[in-house]
Amino acid sequence: MPHLQIITYKGESYNFPLVKDKTTIGRSKDNDIVLPDPRVSSKHAEIIMKGKSFILNDLESHNGTQVNEEFIQSHSLKHEDEIRLGQYRLAFLTKERTISTPTKTLLLEREGDYGQWHQQTLKINPEESCQIDSQSLLISPEPKKSQKEQAAPARFKKKEPHTKTEKGLLSPERANKVLFVLYEISRQLNTIHDFNELLKKIMDYIFMVIDADYGFLILTDDEKDKDFIPVVIKYKDDKVKTQKGIRASRTIINKVIQDKVALLTSNAMVDPRFGSAESLVGQNIRSAMCVPLWRKDEIIGVIQLDSIRPDNQYTEDDLELLKTISCQMAMILEQASLNEKIRGEELMRNRLERFHSPQVIDMIIKSALESKDDLMEAKDREATILFTDIIGFTSLTENMQPREINTLLNQFFSRMTDIVFEHDGTLDKYIGDSLMAIFGAPIEKTDDAERAVSAAIKMRQELLTMIEKAEGNVKFGIRIGINTGHVVAGNIGSPKRMEYTVIGTPVNIASRLESLAQPNQIIIGEKTYQRVKGKFKIKEIGSREVKGASEPVKTYEILD
């Protein structure tokens, strides 16, 4: 049966069968698939089933929908297409996936009793460990090695305990390994945009500096304290992968997370400390070490490395090296999280800056990232609507060349839009030679009507400046209509095209008031007058019959 395999940013996955004619995906709870991520819109996308075909449509989401790393508006899904929505990955599958996932290849054994353990472990202070480890990267001088020793590649040297240095300092060899891992990961921070891919890369580099037969990286589940999410599984040699997968011990993982310690066992086959950890014995593991993975001062998972070769038993020095690398990864993971947040904000900002002022965009982004109500979702609210257009535009341009008309409109709309943004308004749309702006949506303020009138006065003043600078003796006037009332504001339209707009009787009345205005006249409705009286010089015009209104509308003129 066709279904979606939904994978969270932590690697947790579950399947959702596609059995309905339409399956909706988004952040709000009324969707068929709910993705609680601020970068996912309330109504983000939908999948339409047409016979045996499945069509994915983006519902004009803030951050867009990607299929196989390309943004789409509509896409016919094929087996193993990967959909990206915020931090979530959704694989469209019509049969079993050919690529195994970490969840299926890592088996977590039931927790044993470790109350009788008496092993020696490396204690980790969550507040001081990373600072200490940063200082330990300082290299203290060691006796100079012979040319023969320097020439011998590290991989061919016999494994021996490292020479002890000053307390708190790593040996040069170990310090170089840590710095190598940190450098290589940091170098790729701006090119790796996926958190899981970054974790895989971390494991790749750990294997380059620590000899292991296999290892895994597990993250904790924030919502379920006892659940672990396998994210990365790595083998020294991919050819030795077993179909049964790796069996991991909850005993060790819980100990590391709960006690904030790094664990090491050599020759686990005969080590009495792990008698209850059956998964170790079951796989004939000769040596294993497990360390916490940090982000800031919080443990978010563990890294475990295993060796099944009797001649490759880990030492305390190996554990110290892995622990140091893991702790230093805290800074890298935090930077990766920050980079992802910045990329999300940039994408959202690029999609919004065409219609909103920078101040309004900041408010929308802040609201989205704090997981508040979606400001772009359709809602009933009070807003002030402004319409303005060029008087006699057809006769004005009948003797102009198309390029001249285009230049004129671009100059007019550019300056008028700037004025809207200067007053924290929202550009709704351009309609021929007219412009529609909203004050009070998506961000509602107490002075929306006042800012709309101030913008209208500024538009009228700016027009005079434009005419003085215009070439070819081009002269024209504008008219402006403003009205306030309750409207429905939000993303409205079809799946193929949506736009943020407002609808309702107050919008229609604002348009009618604009058509009633004389050249360079600003006419406002009754509700707008009530909001701004005493703040501008206003003249009452009287009631006017307006198409679409059930009764005459009181009108007023804004004077300079």
Side-chain angles (χ1 to χ4, degrees):
M1 174 185 293
H3 63 278
L4 291 177
Q5 182 184 50
I6 303 169
I7 307 171
T8 70
Y9 76 99
K10 287 185 174 182
E12 184 179 20
S13 67
Y14 59 93
N15 293 332
F16 186 92
L18 297 172
V19 295
K20 298 172 62 176
D21 291 339
K22 181 172 74 171
T23 301
T24 59
I25 310 171
R27 194 173 76 250
S28 62
K29 294 182 180 180
D30 57 345
N31 288 287
D32 298 308
I33 300 176
V34 180
L35 305 179
D37 181 341
R39 274 153 281 199
V40 175
S41 299
S42 292
K43 298 289 184 181
H44 197 109
E46 66 179 9
I47 296 178
I48 305 297
M49 180 170 61
K50 294 183 178 179
K52 294 184 179 181
S53 299
F54 291 83
I55 310 299
L56 172 68
N57 296 317
D58 177 74
L59 300 181
E60 289 295 320
S61 59
H62 301 334
N63 295 319
T65 300
Q66 296 183 56
V67 176
N68 301 328
E69 300 185 354
E70 292 185 2
F71 285 100
I72 59 96
Q73 287 295 325
S74 183
H75 179 83
S76 180
L77 293 171
K78 299 178 180 62
H79 179 60
E80 291 196 342
D81 274 350
E82 185 168 288
I83 306 165
R84 183 68 182 265
L85 285 75
Q87 296 187 79
Y88 285 84
R89 292 177 293 152
L90 294 77
F92 174 74
L93 305 174
T94 57
K95 54 187 177 181
E96 280 298 319
R97 198 168 192 178
T98 57
I99 302 175
S100 62
T101 62
T103 306
K104 294 182 178 180
T105 55
L106 183 67
L107 308 176
L108 290 169
E109 299 292 338
R110 288 185 298 178
E111 183 178 354
D113 179 16
Y114 54 80
Q116 298 179 353
W117 287 12
H118 300 287
Q119 73 273 30
Q120 294 180 352
T121 59
L122 293 179
K123 298 292 183 181
I124 296 176
N125 186 318
E127 295 181 356
E128 300 175 359
S129 180
C130 286
Q131 295 178 1
I132 294 174
D133 287 333
S134 295
Q135 294 174 1
S136 71
L137 293 178
L138 297 172
I139 302 174
S140 62
E142 282 194 335
K144 188 175 181 181
K145 296 181 179 181
S146 66
Q147 293 183 354
K148 183 177 180 180
E149 289 176 323
Q150 293 178 7
R155 63 179 180 275
F156 296 127
K157 292 179 181 178
K158 182 180 179 181
K159 184 170 183 176
E160 297 177 352
H162 293 283
T163 304
K164 296 293 183 180
T165 60
E166 291 181 41
K167 184 177 180 181
L169 297 181
L170 293 179
S171 67
E173 182 180 349
R174 278 173 46 207
N176 287 338
K177 288 181 178 180
V178 175
L179 291 173
F180 168 77
V181 173
L182 297 180
Y183 170 75
E184 290 297 331
I185 295 296
S186 300
R187 188 169 61 88
Q188 299 186 49
L189 264 180
N190 293 325
T191 59
I192 301 177
H193 296 166
D194 184 272
F195 185 71
N196 287 357
E197 289 299 320
L198 180 62
L199 295 179
K200 291 178 182 178
K201 188 62 68 175
I202 288 173
M203 285 295 286
D204 287 343
Y205 286 117
I206 287 176
F207 265 61
M208 291 178 68
V209 298
I210 300 178
D211 191 6
D213 290 300
Y214 51 82
F216 54 83
L217 189 154
I218 290 179
L219 297 181
T220 58
D221 191 330
D222 294 334
E223 299 179 357
K224 302 175 182 178
D225 294 337
K226 294 186 178 180
D227 275 12
F228 304 118
I229 305 166
V231 178
V232 183
I233 293 178
K234 183 171 177 61
Y235 292 82
K236 180 183 179 70
D237 185 354
D238 288 341
K239 295 179 181 180
V240 301
K241 288 184 179 179
T242 61
Q243 302 214 345
K244 294 182 179 180
I246 298 175
R247 296 168 61 199
S249 170
R250 286 184 182 271
T251 304
I252 294 179
I253 297 171
N254 277 330
K255 183 74 172 174
V256 168
I257 293 175
Q258 292 172 5
D259 295 351
K260 295 182 173 65
V261 296
L263 283 176
L264 164 68
T265 177
S266 293
N267 195 3
M269 287 288 292
V270 295
D271 194 333
R273 298 173 303 178
F274 297 95
S276 60
E278 297 179 0
S279 59
L280 290 175
V281 178
Q283 295 181 95
N284 297 325
I285 293 176
R286 298 285 175 177
S287 189
M289 52 185 176
C290 185
V291 301
L293 183 66
W294 297 86
R295 185 160 63 191
K296 288 188 175 180
D297 58 352
E298 175 189 5
I299 292 180
I300 62 171
V302 301
I303 297 176
Q304 180 169 323
L305 299 182
D306 300 307
S307 173
I308 59 176
R309 286 166 286 156
D311 60 343
N312 188 46
Q313 295 189 28
Y314 296 127
T315 65
E316 184 178 326
D317 209 45
D318 294 317
L319 183 64
E320 190 69 58
L321 173 58
L322 181 59
K323 189 211 73 171
T324 304
I325 292 174
S326 175
C327 190
Q328 293 295 324
M329 285 302 151
M331 296 178 289
I332 291 178
L333 293 178
E334 186 59 29
Q335 184 61 49
S337 178
L338 179 61
N339 288 353
E340 188 169 0
K341 180 180 177 181
I342 292 173
R343 283 190 292 270
E345 289 184 14
E346 288 178 348
L347 181 58
M348 185 183 294
R349 188 177 295 276
N350 290 338
R351 296 173 70 89
L352 294 173
E353 64 184 4
R354 178 182 172 189
F355 304 102
H356 306 284
S357 68
Q359 295 86 347
V360 172
I361 293 174
D362 289 339
M363 294 178 188
I364 294 173
I365 291 176
K366 182 179 179 181
S367 173
L369 294 178
E370 291 178 355
S371 300
K372 295 180 180 178
D373 291 340
D374 187 355
L375 293 177
M376 312 302 284
E377 186 177 353
K379 297 176 184 175
D380 178 55
R381 63 173 72 233
E382 183 177 280
T384 298
I385 298 91
L386 179 153
F387 278 91
T388 182
D389 77 340
I390 298 174
I391 298 173
F393 181 76
T394 301
S395 57
L396 173 69
T397 58
E398 62 183 2
N399 294 322
M400 297 175 64
Q401 296 296 320
R403 181 172 297 179
E404 295 175 322
I405 297 173
N406 181 67
T407 300
L408 175 64
L409 282 178
N410 285 343
Q411 292 176 345
F412 174 74
F413 283 139
S414 176
R415 189 61 194 112
M416 296 302 115
T417 299
D418 287 344
I419 293 172
V420 171
F421 288 173
E422 287 168 9
H423 292 80
D424 287 346
T426 295
L427 172 65
D428 185 286
K429 62 176 68 72
Y430 302 123
I431 313 168
D433 62 332
S434 65
L435 174 151
M436 174 182 169
I438 312 164
F439 296 82
I443 304 296
E444 191 172 356
K445 297 183 178 181
T446 57
D447 62 342
D448 292 324
E450 184 179 346
R451 287 184 290 105
V453 172
S454 296
I457 294 173
K458 186 70 176 291
M459 288 177 177
R460 186 163 58 184
Q461 294 171 346
E462 185 63 24
L463 175 66
L464 298 177
T465 303
M466 288 182 61
I467 291 176
E468 289 177 0
K469 297 180 179 180
E471 299 179 358
N473 198 30
V474 175
K475 295 183 179 180
F476 60 92
I478 60 173
R479 51 192 175 199
I480 301 175
I482 302 174
N483 192 44
T484 302
H486 282 276
V487 298
V488 174
N491 284 323
I492 299 172
S494 70
K496 292 185 177 180
R497 179 173 174 80
M498 288 190 115
E499 61 181 17
Y500 187 87
T501 189
V502 292
I503 57 175
T505 301
V507 181
N508 298 332
I509 292 177
S511 177
R512 305 300 181 210
L513 294 180
E514 180 261 316
S515 63
L516 291 175
Q518 298 300 310
N520 299 330
Q521 187 180 35
I522 302 171
I523 296 182
I524 65 174
E526 175 65 21
K527 272 197 173 182
T528 304
Y529 170 74
Q530 295 299 329
R531 302 290 188 275
V532 302
K533 62 181 179 181
K535 298 178 180 179
F536 301 94
K537 188 175 181 180
I538 303 175
K539 171 185 175 183
E540 182 176 353
I541 298 176
S543 298
R544 293 286 188 272
E545 294 287 343
V546 175
K547 184 179 180 181
S550 57
E551 55 186 35
V553 176
K554 284 187 178 181
T555 60
Y556 304 81
E557 179 183 1
I558 299 295
L559 305 174
D560 285 338

